[in-house]
């Protein structure tokens, strides 16, 4: 159904040479995000780029532009003559025809444009888990493309977006010293393996099953770049991602090179990277708090040490000691007189020596 409508759309073109390139029919999960690349001619680097929604070109509605904030976001990469359109939080009602377009700015020549169809479904017939992959020069990368049961018998390909060169399941192709091999499990997915990567392999690709495509961005880094990233604290966790640019943002963003669209996996890695240390710190604080609480309870049960002191004033009693010298041949005596309340005193004889 979609193919006849697309063919009919060709009749909507006005006169002029059109150089815009994009995909034909992309599919995306409802509530998800997709980034669509639009390739334009080098002569249009300074021109305004926009994204137009609608079946008829003359009546389509502009929903994103490089000089305005729209429903979605456009990022322009003049150095590569490409701009991307990031569609987020998609609903099934967003399914329909769209146009990648470059404003020419005169009436004699129409805007450069190319249409495509976007299908938004709860369970898309073709999809990828990660729409952005990276590797190093001389290394290899693997991409898994999933498809529904209704598409398992259709042609499956891995295609380079820029020149539309495609690699088919079951064949090993060599291009620029890079080997591309595709294997299909025959049930729900096929896997693309690219080995011996070169810097020139960087760019946009897409998984193709039947008439459906899903874009994937590949970034190949030099050995020095890859080693420097591995030595950093965030190596391997957070790929370098260029921020989306619009006219309302700082001009410094325009110097950023395209490293591919961001995706949900990046946020998951970021969450794990920050949450785990915080969780360990929280557990340590709880253990220390429990130990302090236990110590305080032990002190409470033992109770304070108490010294008892006799209440009231202390009574002081004075006793009188009298030494009596005995007569010759008698024993000397000592007498002690004290109050009646005091305890009994035992008298002992003392021998006094003169």
């Amino acid at each position: 159904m979609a193919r006849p409508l697309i063919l009919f759309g060709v009749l909507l073109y006005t006169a002029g040479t059109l150089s815009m390139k994009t995909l034909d029919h992309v599919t995306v999960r409802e509530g998800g995000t997709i980034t669509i690349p639009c390739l334009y001619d080098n002569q249009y680097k300074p021109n305004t780029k926009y994204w137009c929604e609608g079946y008829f070109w003359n009546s389509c509605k502009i929903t994103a532009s490089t000089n305005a904030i729209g429903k979605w976001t456009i990022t322009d990469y003049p150095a590569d003559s490409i701009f991307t359109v990031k569609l987020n939080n998609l609903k099934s009602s967003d399914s329909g025809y769209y146009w990648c377009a470059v404003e020419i700015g005169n009436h004699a020549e129409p805007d450069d444009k190319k249409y495509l169809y976007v299908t938004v479904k709860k369970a898309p017939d073709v999809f990828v888990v990660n729409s952005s992959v990276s590797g190093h020069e001389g290394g290899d990368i693997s991409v898994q493309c999933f498809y529904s049961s209704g598409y398992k018998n259709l042609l499956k390909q891995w295609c380079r977006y820029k020149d539309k060169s495609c690699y088919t399941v079951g064949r090993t192709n060599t291009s620029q010293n890079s080997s591309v091999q595709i294997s299909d499990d025959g049930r729900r997915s096929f896997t693309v393996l690219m080995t011996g990567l070169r810097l020139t392999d960087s760019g946009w690709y897409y998984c193709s099953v039947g008439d459906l495509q899903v874009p994937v961005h590949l970034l190949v880094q030099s050995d020095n770049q890859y080693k420097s990233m591995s030595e950093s604290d965030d190596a391997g966790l957070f790929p370098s991602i260029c921020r989306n640019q619009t006219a309302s943002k700082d001009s410094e963003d325009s110097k950023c090179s395209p490293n591919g669209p961001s995706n949900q996996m990046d946020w998951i890695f970021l969450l794990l990277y920050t949450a785990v240390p915080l969780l360990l710190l929280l557990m340590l604080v709880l253990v220390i708090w429990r130990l302090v609480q236990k110590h305080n309870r032990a002190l409470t049960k033992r109770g304070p040490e108490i010294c008892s002191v006799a209440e009231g004033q202390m009574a002081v009693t004075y006793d009188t000691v009298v030494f009596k010298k005995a007569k010759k041949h008698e024993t000397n005596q000592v007498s002690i007189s004290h109050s009646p309340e005091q305890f009994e005193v035992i008298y002992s004889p003392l021998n006094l020596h003169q």
Side-chain angles (χ1 to χ4, degrees):
M1 181 63 182
R3 181 61 66 179
L5 292 177
I6 293 177
L7 293 175
F8 177 75
V10 175
L11 301 176
L12 302 178
Y13 281 114
T14 56
T17 301
L18 302 177
S19 60
M20 181 71 67
K21 294 180 181 179
T22 190
L23 304 175
D24 296 322
H25 188 179
V26 299
T27 178
V28 61
R29 189 182 305 276
E30 188 173 2
T33 298
I34 191 171
T35 301
I36 298 175
C38 303
L39 182 67
Y40 56 84
D41 194 88
N42 292 339
Q43 62 179 317
Y44 300 137
K45 291 180 184 291
N47 295 44
T48 298
K49 288 81 180 177
Y50 60 96
W51 177 256
C52 207
E53 177 182 3
Y55 180 74
F56 294 100
W57 165 250
N58 292 333
S59 60
C60 70
K61 177 184 177 183
I62 298 177
T63 56
S65 175
T66 52
N67 60 4
I69 299 177
K71 181 178 179 180
W72 294 310
T73 305
I74 282 185
T75 306
D76 188 17
Y77 306 105
D80 299 294
S81 298
I82 193 172
F83 71 89
T84 61
V85 185
K86 185 177 181 180
L87 312 178
N88 48 64
N89 195 25
L90 289 165
K91 304 176 182 178
S92 58
S93 58
D94 291 320
S95 297
Y97 283 94
Y98 294 88
W99 301 78
C100 293
V102 172
E103 188 177 88
I104 302 302
N106 60 66
H107 297 288
E109 189 176 358
D111 289 351
D112 192 12
K113 56 189 178 293
K114 174 68 171 66
Y115 65 90
L116 71 156
Y117 192 83
V118 177
T119 298
V120 183
K121 298 174 63 175
K122 290 184 178 180
D125 292 310
V126 179
F127 67 95
V128 294
V129 174
N130 194 347
S131 60
S132 178
V133 294
S134 61
H136 64 91
E137 189 176 12
D140 56 86
I141 60 98
S142 178
V143 177
Q144 191 171 17
C145 307
F146 295 88
Y147 55 84
S148 64
S149 58
Y151 281 72
K152 66 180 181 179
N153 294 324
L154 298 182
L155 179 66
K156 303 169 186 70
Q157 293 180 312
W158 171 255
C159 302
R160 184 180 175 93
Y161 175 77
K162 189 172 184 177
D163 54 15
K164 299 291 184 178
S165 58
C166 295
Y167 309 99
T168 306
V169 167
R171 295 179 56 188
T172 299
N173 300 270
T174 301
S175 174
Q176 299 178 344
N177 296 329
S178 298
S179 176
V180 180
Q181 184 175 356
I182 304 177
S183 58
D184 183 16
D185 66 7
R187 293 176 293 134
R188 65 187 187 97
S189 69
F190 68 92
T191 303
V192 179
L193 177 64
M194 296 182 66
T195 60
L197 293 172
R198 295 172 57 90
L199 295 178
T200 53
D201 290 325
S202 293
W204 284 94
Y205 295 79
Y206 58 91
C207 296
S208 176
V209 182
D211 62 342
L212 301 180
Q213 301 103 34
V214 179
V216 177
H217 185 267
L218 168 62
L219 174 64
V220 181
Q221 299 171 315
S222 65
D223 290 336
N224 292 335
Q225 289 176 322
Y226 188 80
K227 289 179 181 178
S228 63
M229 287 187 64
S230 299
E231 292 172 356
S232 65
D233 292 338
D234 297 333
L237 291 179
F238 311 113
S240 175
I241 298 173
C242 187
R243 291 180 294 174
N244 291 325
Q245 304 157 12
T246 63
S248 63
K249 295 190 176 181
D250 297 337
S251 59
E252 66 179 14
D253 283 352
S254 62
K255 300 178 183 178
C256 184
S257 60
N259 292 331
S262 59
N263 49 70
Q264 294 180 353
M265 294 300 296
D266 298 328
W267 291 106
I268 294 175
F269 284 133
L270 178 61
L271 180 61
L272 292 176
Y273 188 75
T274 56
V276 172
L278 291 177
L279 181 59
L280 292 176
L281 179 60
L282 179 60
M283 292 176 64
L284 179 60
V285 171
L286 288 175
V287 169
I288 295 175
W289 180 80
R290 292 294 299 274
L291 290 175
V292 172
Q293 291 291 101
K294 184 177 180 180
H295 180 69
N296 290 339
R297 286 196 298 267
L299 291 177
T300 303
K301 291 180 178 180
R302 189 176 66 180
E305 295 181 357
I306 301 175
C307 288
S308 59
V309 179
E311 297 182 357
Q313 297 182 350
M314 296 181 63
V316 179
T317 304
Y318 299 94
D319 292 335
T320 303
V321 179
V322 180
F323 295 89
K324 292 182 179 181
K325 186 177 180 181
K327 294 180 180 182
K328 192 176 182 178
H329 305 297
E330 292 184 2
T331 304
N332 296 324
Q333 295 182 352
V334 179
S335 63
I336 302 174
S337 61
H338 54 82
S339 59
E341 294 84 1
Q342 298 300 314
F343 49 83
E344 182 179 0
V345 177
I346 299 174
Y347 299 94
S348 299
L350 297 176
N351 295 320
L352 300 180
H353 301 278
Q354 295 189 3

